Amino acid sequence: MRNWPFISVLALALTMPGCASVRTALSPAPAKSAATGAKPGAAAPWMDTALSPDARAELLEAQMTLDEKISLVHGVMATPLTPEQTIPAGALPGAGYVPGIPRVGIPALKETDAGLGVAYVMGLRRDGATALPSGLATAASWDRAVAYAGGAMIGQEAWRKGFNVMLAGGVDLERDPRGGRNFEYLGEDPLLAGTLAGEAISGIQAQHVVSTVKHFALNDQETGRQYLNVKIAPAAAHESDLLAFELAIESGHPGSVMCSYNRVNGPYACGNNWLLNKVLKTEWKYPGWVMSDWGAVHGTDAALAGLDQESGDQLDQEVYFGAPLLAAAKRDPVYAARLDNMVHRVLCSMFAAGLFDHPPVKTAIDFEADGKVARKVADEGIVLLSNPRNLLPLSATARRIAVIGGHADIGVISGGGSSQVAPKGGPVATIPLGGNTPLESFMHQAMYMPSSPLEAIRARAPNAEVAYNNGAYPAAAADLARRSDVAIVFATKWMGEGSDTPDLTLPNGQDSLINAVATANPNTIVVLETGGPVLMPWLKNAGAVIEAWFPGARGGEAIANVLFGAVNPSGHLPVTFPAALSQLPDPVLKGRDLPEGRPFDVSYREGADVGYRWFARRKLKPLFPFGYGLSYTSFAFGGLQVEGGKTVRATFTVTNTGQRAGSAVPQVYLTTGPAGEGERLLGWSRVDLAPGETKTVTVSTDPRLLANWNAAAQDWQIAGGRYAVAVGTSAQTPKLTSEADVAAQALEP
Ligand code: BGC
């Protein structure tokens, strides 16, 4: 563990025993323990909670037969893929199932998607789960406590439904705003994404549910995800996507890492010796187990490359970790040793997360309490993008309010794919978006959560006349807007797993709708429910704009809270909103123009300069920069002092200079370093302030953020010299600047 300044993480690391004794992937199994012959059950020595998870795993492994070991390292997708298929007895319908071994008391692994709530699989089951807002909303909160609370809530629901593994922890960086799964992830910056993923994972695992971190690695687009080959220099990878994983792993201690579908510098990620054995298990000393993504294994030799468990094995060409691995282990001591290590890793994580000691108990869910957690994430994640005339917050005195479009009468949209959560009683509407195959059609559906913004607005403005128009005809919507004091237009952009969007427009003519309404009434507020950044050709005409992302189970209420000022917005963008496609490293998404199934290489031009760093390098002015977000109050910053030495530490004051209580999110950036390092987020703080209040804030920097990865020496190295630092309200809005000397050093691994 490196020094990490956040108390909640430290506290957790101290209270949750991990799998500390790390054996490298190919090292031989330990000598058999003296526990031979012990009986399972309470008396079994591995059930002694005074022992470390490692010691317990070792005692248990020693009792297992070869067949039992094999059965622990592969599992099925526990979803009938055709009407004839059934799921194994004892399995829960969900993403995955690895049978237990009752003879020695090993519980089955019952796995559910995903990071936004209990999805079972693709929201097929409708017995109800609470949907968090999208990952981007959590990231926009910049709030560690909110990320932890969201994880704890969904982990608790998973446990109460009988699951003990959650396939959560998505932390792939947003390299391209068209990426179909960006909404599940936590944005474009490794520090922000890795920190919040670590919190969410900790929250889940505190419920005795193993969390993954996924998809390892560089699974940054959906187009060609099964066969594209990401070509990236090890240094660029370490300083970007891998750093997000590294931070999430060291603070969250996920029991498992899910490797991804794509290839990285040649080999598939799930059979990639460099990624799994070298980076993950040797450099980072990761002690847990690597599970494959579903259908991502291409051979038994993936075991030697560091894969520990084959998931959804009926989706692979063969059950590579079944009979073929058994035969290899009988024949070849290297495979036999590897199998022992694979089993050790699985068992150790199971012990560490409490799967043996605190098995799930099916119990009722308190949807009211859990809904509040989801609403809080949405409250904090909504970003006020534009409010030039202070049209927001709306006063309760507005007499006639027009609510237009976005199905705001019934609910809020959610993102699609394996992370799709279905609320209790099912979604209030499911809109088919079409596809060329049954699977595509199944994946492409827009589900609406039953949290109507229209009703929430009516509840906040009981004396107003609130009328709804569905926005199908811009002229009719404009008529209603003209007759109203204020018009609120809802615009949606669905995104989902398995496909990227071709561009950054709002679909279905919604730009024309907004233009027509804003022309009819300048008091037009645009509420965006999108999977990520969109272009806003109507921005100058809009009276105000908020980005509500996919706002989850109680999204309608959260939107109304912000519109009426019950919540003072404090969300800040975790991604850059480009002004045009031409600003992106690749104006045409890689592989988009190729026939389906044709393998291709992706050499991301931006290297480690993902998102705002690319914009800084190219001196581009985005529509809205990373880190940006307005408030109903105003903040002033002062007294910056930057201390150098081994790292940098910035101390400054933040004052609420407005009339309302609010939360500031000052961000500390490296603007230049002696080795030419460009813009990098070094840290941030969320500061709650009453009107007139001032607080002093100190932000310490993880030295890796000042360093570059040296591929030859295999370590992080800081060039000694003067580092320029800015405190800003976004990556492009510095408020205070200073400099400090930092010592040249190679960081200890
Ligand atoms: C997705 C994973 C998911 C798994 C199981 C895969 O297609 O990429 O994120 O956890 O399915 O549903």
Side-chain angles (χ1 to χ4, degrees):
M1 267 285 283
R2 285 165 205 268
N3 258 350
W4 200 246
F6 312 127
I7 288 147
S8 60
V9 168
L10 272 182
L12 203 90
L14 293 176
T15 53
M16 205 166 135
C19 301
S21 88
V22 180
R23 282 175 283 140
T24 52
L26 296 177
S27 65
K32 296 281 180 238
S33 80
T36 318
K39 299 261 176 329
W46 52 88
M47 292 306 290
D48 179 354
T49 54
L51 298 175
S52 72
D54 264 310
R56 295 175 72 181
E58 234 166 80
L59 289 170
L60 178 47
E61 269 162 71
Q63 300 299 313
M64 292 169 69
T65 65
L66 199 52
D67 286 330
E68 287 169 344
K69 289 177 183 175
I70 289 289
S71 87
L72 198 62
V73 296
H74 68 98
V76 293
M77 180 166 183
T79 309
L81 298 174
T82 61
E84 302 78 55
Q85 284 181 4
T86 52
I87 62 171
L92 283 174
Y97 176 72
V98 179
I101 305 172
R103 189 186 72 79
V104 283
I106 300 177
L109 293 175
K110 298 181 179 176
E111 303 169 338
T112 179
D113 283 306
L116 309 180
V118 182
Y120 289 101
V121 67
M122 313 236 184
L124 269 180
R125 267 175 78 98
R126 305 284 160 89
D127 67 340
T130 305
L132 282 175
S134 55
L136 283 179
T138 296
S141 77
W142 295 60
D143 188 340
R144 298 172 181 89
V146 145
Y148 181 91
M153 183 275 280
I154 63 172
Q156 178 67 207
E157 288 200 357
W159 190 86
R160 285 174 184 268
K161 285 171 181 289
F163 291 104
N164 55 10
V165 179
M166 245 191 151
L167 309 173
V171 76
D172 295 280
L173 291 189
E174 177 169 324
R175 280 180 181 266
D176 192 301
R178 292 162 292 195
R181 295 185 88 171
N182 288 340
F183 74 92
E184 286 184 54
Y185 304 142
L186 296 158
E188 67 192 25
D189 179 75
L191 176 66
L192 180 66
T195 304
L196 296 183
E199 292 288 349
I201 291 164
S202 299
I204 292 169
Q205 295 201 151
Q207 316 308 314
H208 308 301
V209 171
V210 162
S211 177
T212 60
V213 65
K214 73 185 188 183
H215 309 84
F216 192 65
L218 291 140
N219 183 181
D220 296 339
Q221 65 178 62
E222 293 301 284
T223 305
R225 69 170 173 167
Q226 308 266 7
Y227 45 83
L228 70 78
N229 176 35
V230 176
K231 292 171 86 174
I232 189 164
H238 274 84
E239 291 166 19
S240 56
D241 292 62
L242 296 185
L243 183 56
F245 277 95
E246 189 180 7
L247 295 172
I249 289 169
E250 61 192 31
S251 67
H253 307 288
S256 185
V257 170
M258 187 193 293
C259 51
S260 55
Y261 287 120
N262 52 293
R263 296 173 184 262
V264 178
N265 292 330
Y268 284 106
C270 287
N272 195 307
N273 187 60
W274 175 69
L275 267 183
L276 305 183
N277 278 339
K278 193 156 183 321
V279 175
L280 179 70
K281 293 182 176 176
T282 309
E283 273 173 31
W284 299 348
K285 303 182 172 50
Y286 176 67
W289 91 90
V290 179
M291 69 165 75
S292 72
D293 201 340
W294 273 233
V297 187
H298 301 272
T300 303
D301 55 357
L304 300 186
L307 180 67
D308 299 306
Q309 193 180 56
E310 179 181 14
S311 317
D313 61 20
Q314 74 270 49
L315 303 181
D316 291 326
Q317 294 290 317
E318 226 185 298
V319 181
Y320 296 109
F321 283 18
L325 183 60
L326 179 64
K330 283 184 176 158
R331 180 183 72 229
D332 182 344
V334 175
Y335 272 98
R338 184 72 254 278
L339 178 60
D340 284 341
N341 181 253
M342 291 153 76
V343 167
H344 180 86
R345 286 171 173 276
V346 175
L347 290 176
C348 192
S349 284
M350 290 175 73
F351 279 118
L355 269 53
F356 284 79
D357 309 322
H358 306 278
V361 180
K362 287 201 183 173
T363 20
I365 286 171
D366 183 346
F367 286 104
E368 186 52 34
D370 290 358
K372 284 187 182 144
V373 176
R375 204 206 57 225
K376 171 92 172 145
V377 177
D379 283 347
E380 286 200 12
I382 290 174
V383 182
L384 176 62
L385 292 175
S386 171
N387 194 22
R389 290 184 285 116
N390 294 328
L391 183 57
L392 290 177
L394 288 173
S395 83
T397 57
R399 279 273 157 274
R400 291 162 307 172
I401 301 176
V403 175
I404 294 164
H407 301 287
D409 54 333
I410 53 169
V412 289
I413 196 170
S414 56
S418 58
S419 69
Q420 177 77 62
V421 175
K424 200 166 174 56
V428 69
T430 302
I431 300 181
L433 301 171
N436 289 312
T437 61
L439 180 65
E440 240 174 57
S441 307
F442 175 64
M443 300 272 275
H444 292 181
Q445 307 187 59
M447 285 191 193
Y448 281 74
M449 299 291 142
S451 177
S452 154
L454 177 65
E455 277 170 27
I457 289 167
R458 285 193 170 130
R460 288 258 165 228
N463 301 321
E465 192 187 300
V466 184
Y468 180 71
N469 176 285
N470 66 17
Y473 295 97
D479 287 345
L480 175 62
R482 216 170 282 116
R483 297 194 303 268
S484 307
D485 300 322
V486 62
I488 309 172
V489 193
F490 285 78
T492 60
K493 177 164 180 145
W494 181 88
M495 288 171 88
E497 181 178 342
S499 59
D500 302 311
T501 74
D503 58 33
L504 300 178
T505 58
L506 283 169
N508 303 323
Q510 293 177 98
D511 286 330
S512 309
L513 172 68
I514 296 170
N515 260 328
V517 173
T519 305
N521 188 336
N523 293 339
T524 290
I525 297 150
V526 180
V527 177
L528 296 169
E529 293 172 24
T530 66
V534 289
L535 301 179
M536 303 178 201
W538 34 260
L539 182 59
K540 284 200 170 64
N541 299 335
V545 184
I546 68 172
E547 174 57 83
W549 316 104
F550 298 145
R554 302 278 283 270
E557 280 171 53
I559 289 168
N561 283 348
V562 167
L563 291 176
F564 287 89
V567 165
N568 187 353
S570 60
H572 287 255
L573 295 179
V575 287
T576 304
F577 275 45
L581 277 183
S582 58
Q583 294 184 324
L584 299 176
D586 290 296
V588 177
L589 189 88
K590 290 271 200 254
R592 196 191 134 211
D593 43 359
L594 296 178
E596 177 74 27
R598 181 185 299 170
F600 59 95
D601 287 345
V602 175
S603 304
Y604 288 114
R605 280 174 73 206
E606 68 281 10
D609 287 336
V610 179
Y612 65 93
R613 291 174 52 171
W614 169 260
F615 278 71
R617 188 164 106 193
R618 291 293 174 118
K619 302 201 176 359
L620 296 167
K621 198 170 162 22
L623 188 61
F624 295 107
F626 174 85
Y628 173 88
L630 302 173
S631 165
Y632 296 148
T633 188
S634 49
F635 302 103
F637 305 87
L640 174 62
Q641 286 181 345
V642 181
E643 213 181 292
K646 285 191 167 262
T647 181
V648 297
R649 218 160 61 155
T651 301
F652 51 93
T653 60
V654 192
T655 304
N656 182 345
T657 51
Q659 306 301 313
R660 283 170 186 264
S663 305
V665 182
Q667 302 142 39
V668 179
Y669 292 94
L670 170 71
T671 54
T672 46
E677 302 91 342
E679 201 83 8
R680 294 179 183 187
L681 179 69
L682 298 182
W684 76 91
S685 183
R686 253 189 82 92
V687 198
D688 300 332
L689 294 162
E693 192 183 5
T694 297
K695 281 184 184 163
T696 299
V697 173
T698 297
V699 175
S700 298
T701 301
D702 184 307
R704 281 167 292 186
L705 298 164
L706 301 171
N708 289 318
W709 178 256
N710 186 310
Q714 298 284 307
D715 61 8
W716 293 99
Q717 294 188 5
I718 297 185
R722 210 147 179 79
Y723 283 72
V725 168
V727 174
T729 50
S730 85
Q732 294 206 344
T733 328
K735 297 287 181 191
L736 308 167
T737 55
S738 187
E739 293 184 348
D741 288 324
V742 179
Q745 58 197 292
L747 305 179
E748 277 176 30

